[in-house]
Amino acid sequence: MNKTVRIALSIVLTFIMIISMFTVFSVSAETGKYVPYANANNGDLIFEADFRGIPGIWEPAAGWDGMKSTVSADGKSVTLFPSQDLAKNGRCCWGACLPTQYYTFGGNAYTVVFTVTAENDKQEVGFYPDWGTGFVIAPGMNRFRVGQWGNQAKIRGIDYYLGTGSLTQTYAVEFAGELGTSYPDNDSKCTAENLYVKIGNTWTLVYSLSAEVESKIAGKNELESMLWTINPQDYTDEVTLRFFRSPGDTNQTGDITISDLQVYKGLTIGASIAEQQTTTGGNIDLKSKEDGELLYKLNFSGDENFTPGALIDGLPVLSAKVDAADSGKVTVSVPEGENGQLHFWGGQIKGLPITETSEYTLFVTIERSRETAATDPVLGISADGRYYAVGDSSYIQLTKNGTGKVRSAVAYADNILVNVVGNHGADYGLTTAPFTQSYAIEIDGPNITSRAIRLYVLTDDGTYQLMSNSDSSSNIQFMNGNLAFYLYQKDANLPVTVYDAKIYKGRVVEMYNTGKLPGEAVTEEVTAEAGTEAPADTKTAQTNAPETAAEEITSEAANETSPVSEKKGCASAVCSGFAIVALTSAASALVVRKKKESDC
């Protein structure tokens, strides 16, 4: 190779290397990204918002001249403020539709992930993936509702979820629709609409569309009310990324910032959680057991099946002292100086998934020391982490998140307090001696829309009496993929001792009441031996991290491949660019080497 050719080749290779480097850095610095739905696999990132707009793809703007907005310099966030004087019909919105040549609703499924930051706990924002229905979220209050057109007609009333109350929270909305050719009343059928909140690295389902729950609109069920409203101008079932504020509400005078808006193909959050639910772990032999057999006796010191600690990272934790002679006995209390806040303690039980076919019964005994009505401790007991049997020695009730009403099966129609008929007498007279009560909670997977949870108390005659149960209007959404055991209290200096907590296969209260429940001697208990060294009286979450096998998500929501899978590798364009750089560098080095060899 002569000198002129070598020089020319070196120049060409250098030029290619420079162009490759430019390509690498331009792709990695790009904010807005999009991939047509048809070109992506389930779980793939198909859209990442640049709030400054992506020409021809997504060009957000205020709707009805009622929304003021400020987009960040990098395009990664937008702050929305409802104008009090320009809003149309008390509504204002900001956003845009995605192009129908790439994204349509019918026959497709999407997951939208975004972060909301509120100026204060009163501020809320609505996200609507179509022209009609969606969610209104108030992160500072852990509050949401399902509604139509911003804050107008409500499909469901105000609801709450267990969370940290942080003013910045990340949400995911999953939605899907049927493919059809005709849309009566300009509506298409919505087949899925789910809302999740991310707390730490864990996604928690807070709402799922149900065909059984009666809607607030015209007496329809929720599935009928959550129709997908198509664009009335050109009758296309568009996917929209639009946010609403309510200027008519005098509380809504603060800022809401939306950031990190991304869209993934498919129902990615639910699919990931379901996949992890099948990984049972632990050593409980569920398959070989028959209804009525003991599955697990809780070891409060923790073992391979149950590791007690915080319900959710960031929520207050009960102090828990395990009995030194009996690891199946624990005394819990609210730490000194933290009175009035809900404190939780417990964990999931590996190997016992809650499915559409699973049935379980939890038996547990509690002991209170009380002297006056003011010192009669209230305790909440849960078999999933969201629904609690709550009461003191004179009443018991089913609640959601420790506060909301689920339903009462007996006593008073509109009163969640259900009188316990027990050995303490009709006048509920107090005593200075420890007072003991036993409860049973049945979890009924096959009947999730009608009596999914039943609460019983042991009475004087040695049988369990039904106190409360959920029904079709309760819209039961179990918190975890596995059965769990959690306790909660909020009043300090009122310790409660909990013991003899056992999980049986099936709904076995009737078997117990009729003497047909197999004795413990014929079942294999999975527990630690008595005498296990107990941990010190402390906030257990600091020493025993909670097991969240059913919902643990280790990645950030902004992953390139899926909001629930660990980010691996790099974008193909970036990797290709670096590969070209490497190859051209090697080629240039070879030319230089050849030149030196020829000069020798």
Side-chain angles (χ1 to χ4, degrees):
M1 183 182 297
N2 61 45
K3 185 176 182 179
T4 302
V5 173
R6 288 199 302 270
I7 293 173
L9 181 57
S10 179
I11 292 173
V12 170
L13 291 174
T14 301
F15 178 77
I16 292 174
M17 182 173 64
I18 293 172
I19 293 298
S20 301
M21 291 176 65
F22 176 81
T23 302
V24 169
F25 292 116
S26 65
V27 171
S28 63
E30 185 180 8
T31 300
K33 301 176 182 178
Y34 66 94
V35 176
Y37 189 93
N39 296 349
N41 297 316
N42 277 338
D44 285 353
L45 176 68
I46 57 177
F47 179 83
E48 184 173 33
D50 183 333
F51 289 103
R52 296 168 297 190
I54 305 174
I57 300 298
W58 191 64
E59 301 177 5
W64 303 314
D65 297 324
M67 185 80 82
K68 296 179 180 179
S69 62
T70 302
V71 177
S72 64
D74 59 7
K76 293 182 179 180
S77 66
V78 60
T79 298
L80 304 175
F81 178 82
S83 171
Q84 298 296 306
D85 53 351
L86 298 176
K88 178 182 180 181
N89 299 326
R91 304 171 297 188
C92 59
C93 68
W94 188 93
C97 300
L98 293 173
T100 54
Q101 66 266 36
Y102 297 142
Y103 312 98
T104 56
F105 175 69
N108 295 328
Y110 301 85
T111 300
V112 180
V113 178
F114 55 91
T115 297
V116 178
T117 299
E119 183 176 338
N120 55 59
D121 61 5
K122 295 181 180 180
Q123 304 312 303
E124 61 183 15
V125 63
F127 170 73
Y128 288 75
D130 77 327
W131 288 82
T133 60
F135 298 99
V136 180
I137 302 165
M141 302 182 71
N142 296 326
R143 190 181 74 188
F144 75 97
R145 64 177 179 270
V146 187
Q148 291 186 330
W149 288 118
N151 291 357
Q152 303 303 305
K154 302 178 183 67
I155 291 177
R156 283 185 64 80
I158 292 175
D159 206 344
Y160 294 85
Y161 57 88
L162 280 173
T164 62
S166 170
L167 295 179
T168 298
Q169 297 196 46
T170 298
Y171 300 90
V173 176
E174 294 179 331
F175 54 93
E178 281 188 354
L179 180 63
T181 56
S182 62
Y183 303 104
D185 301 323
N186 292 342
D187 288 330
S188 174
K189 186 176 181 180
C190 183
T191 58
E193 192 145 18
N194 306 316
L195 176 64
Y196 300 83
V197 61
K198 191 174 187 182
I199 302 175
N201 286 323
T202 302
W203 284 109
T204 297
L205 177 67
V206 297
Y207 171 87
S208 184
L209 181 65
S210 170
E212 303 296 329
V213 181
E214 183 176 314
S215 169
K216 300 294 183 181
I217 300 178
K220 298 179 180 179
N221 64 40
E222 291 193 2
L223 188 61
E224 293 171 337
S225 296
M226 295 284 278
L227 294 175
W228 191 265
T229 305
I230 66 175
N231 187 341
Q233 298 176 349
D234 56 13
Y235 299 99
T236 56
D237 55 343
E238 298 170 320
V239 174
T240 72
L241 303 176
R242 185 177 284 115
F243 296 89
F244 286 74
R245 299 294 309 274
S246 178
D249 186 343
T250 55
N251 288 322
Q252 299 304 303
T253 56
D255 290 343
I256 284 279
T257 298
I258 309 297
S259 59
D260 300 320
L261 173 63
Q262 298 173 316
V263 182
Y264 294 83
K265 182 174 180 176
L267 307 180
T268 58
I269 306 294
S272 173
I273 292 175
E275 180 180 352
Q276 294 181 59
Q277 288 174 7
T278 63
T279 307
T280 56
N283 63 1
I284 299 176
D285 187 7
L286 177 62
K287 292 183 179 180
S288 69
K289 299 293 186 180
E290 300 292 333
D291 283 358
E293 289 193 272
L294 180 67
L295 293 170
Y296 176 63
K297 183 175 181 180
L298 275 90
N299 173 12
F300 294 122
S301 292
D303 56 25
E304 59 269 41
N305 304 301
F306 175 72
T307 306
L311 172 65
I312 296 174
D313 290 343
L315 290 183
V317 184
L318 287 169
S319 293
K321 185 175 182 179
V322 179
D323 191 295
D326 181 3
S327 62
K329 188 174 186 179
V330 63
T331 299
V332 296
S333 60
V334 174
E336 189 73 30
E338 298 183 20
N339 188 54
Q341 301 180 67
L342 287 180
H343 288 64
F344 299 86
W345 182 85
Q348 293 187 63
I349 302 171
K350 295 181 180 179
L352 299 180
I354 298 178
T355 68
E356 293 179 354
T357 60
S358 58
E359 297 177 336
Y360 303 101
T361 302
L362 164 68
F363 290 99
V364 62
T365 298
I366 64 175
E367 184 179 283
R368 300 177 174 91
S369 295
R370 65 207 182 114
E371 296 179 358
T372 67
T375 60
D376 191 11
V378 174
L379 181 74
I381 306 169
S382 176
D384 82 305
R386 175 168 288 150
Y387 300 98
Y388 288 79
V390 180
D392 60 19
S393 60
S394 65
Y395 76 89
I396 193 72
Q397 63 191 34
L398 275 176
T399 70
K400 180 179 180 182
N401 301 337
T403 54
K405 178 177 179 179
V406 172
R407 280 285 173 174
S408 292
V410 293
Y412 312 106
D414 295 319
N415 192 341
I416 60 176
L417 306 185
V418 181
N419 291 332
V420 177
V421 289
N423 54 11
H424 47 292
D427 61 353
Y428 307 131
L430 299 175
T431 174
T432 57
F435 188 80
T436 301
Q437 288 175 307
S438 296
Y439 300 100
I441 299 174
E442 290 183 335
I443 299 296
D444 188 354
N447 293 305
I448 192 169
T449 58
S450 58
R451 295 168 63 89
I453 309 174
R454 298 177 181 86
L455 169 63
Y456 303 80
V457 66
L458 187 64
T459 59
D460 279 346
D461 64 5
T463 61
Y464 282 90
Q465 176 182 335
L466 180 66
M467 288 289 101
S468 185
N469 63 259
S470 60
D471 61 16
S472 60
S473 69
S474 303
N475 192 22
I476 297 297
Q477 309 283 342
F478 288 117
M479 179 174 179
N480 294 311
N482 288 344
L483 200 70
F485 182 85
Y486 285 100
L487 303 171
Y488 95 77
Q489 274 190 294
K490 68 175 182 178
D491 298 319
N493 301 317
L494 296 175
V496 178
T497 298
V498 178
Y499 60 95
D500 208 21
K502 303 172 184 177
I503 308 293
Y504 285 79
K505 186 173 182 178
R507 293 183 290 112
V508 302
V509 168
E510 182 63 25
M511 296 177 67
Y512 180 95
N513 286 345
T514 57
K516 297 179 181 179
L517 188 67
E520 292 181 26
V522 298
T523 62
E524 180 182 352
E525 295 188 10
V526 183
T527 183
E529 295 183 2
T532 302
E533 184 176 353
D537 184 5
T538 182
K539 290 189 177 182
T540 312
Q542 297 174 2
T543 57
N544 290 325
E547 289 289 331
T548 53
E551 294 186 357
E552 188 72 17
I553 309 298
T554 57
S555 68
E556 294 299 323
N559 287 344
E560 299 263 282
T561 56
S562 167
V564 294
S565 63
E566 189 171 331
K567 181 181 283 188
K568 298 178 180 179
C570 52
S572 57
V574 176
C575 292
S576 299
F578 279 116
I580 295 172
V581 171
L583 288 173
T584 52
S585 299
S588 297
L590 180 61
V591 170
V592 172
R593 180 179 179 184
K594 288 290 186 181
K595 179 180 182 297
K596 289 183 177 179
E597 289 176 352
S598 63
D599 289 343
C600 292

